[in-house]
Amino acid sequence: MAQQIYYLHSCNEWKECSSMELLFIGTSQQKLKMKISKEIEEGNMEYYDDSLSQKEQAKRFRKDWETETRDIINSRLIYGDFDYTYNNEEM
């Protein structure tokens, strides 16, 4: 059975492919969530509302992680983009 592999890129505000740099790759959804949360708290990424503190943005991200779709979370994540693929799958 194919295993999901998650990955996270840092990128510019418009998520242009030429700006993407790989920050995380792995099979753990929990570790991916923790990495994104850490990037938000450190100010490397923003989430949803930049008028909130970095800690508040990270808190909102973690809450949304439990209830929102990947597309919605990605649309709210600034300077970052995450997705998944399956092992041995062509991209």
Side-chain angles (χ1 to χ4, degrees):
M1 184 169 168
Q3 186 173 20
Q4 281 185 318
I5 300 172
Y6 303 95
Y7 54 92
L8 171 67
H9 291 101
S10 65
C11 58
N12 65 17
E13 186 175 358
W14 304 278
K15 300 185 189 240
E16 295 173 311
C17 290
S18 62
S19 72
M20 292 194 175
E21 182 178 326
L22 186 63
L23 297 179
F24 173 89
I25 189 164
T27 57
S28 171
Q29 203 177 76
Q30 182 65 25
K31 286 183 181 178
L32 171 64
K33 178 177 126 180
M34 290 169 50
K35 175 65 173 169
I36 295 171
S37 184
K38 181 180 176 188
E39 292 293 323
I40 294 167
E41 287 183 3
E42 291 178 351
N44 300 323
M45 295 179 186
E46 295 175 4
Y47 188 72
Y48 194 67
D49 184 353
D50 64 0
S51 69
L52 298 173
S53 72
Q54 293 166 338
K55 286 195 178 264
E56 287 296 315
Q57 289 179 48
K59 183 178 177 182
R60 184 169 193 158
F61 161 75
R62 290 188 299 270
K63 182 179 179 229
D64 286 355
W65 183 271
E66 304 303 322
T67 60
E68 299 293 349
T69 66
R70 177 178 41 91
D71 289 337
I72 289 174
I73 292 172
N74 258 330
S75 72
R76 294 176 178 171
L77 186 63
I78 303 168
Y79 307 116
D81 185 70
F82 73 96
D83 207 346
Y84 66 90
T85 188
Y86 292 93
N87 66 326
N88 303 320
E89 180 180 85
E90 290 186 34
M91 295 178 72

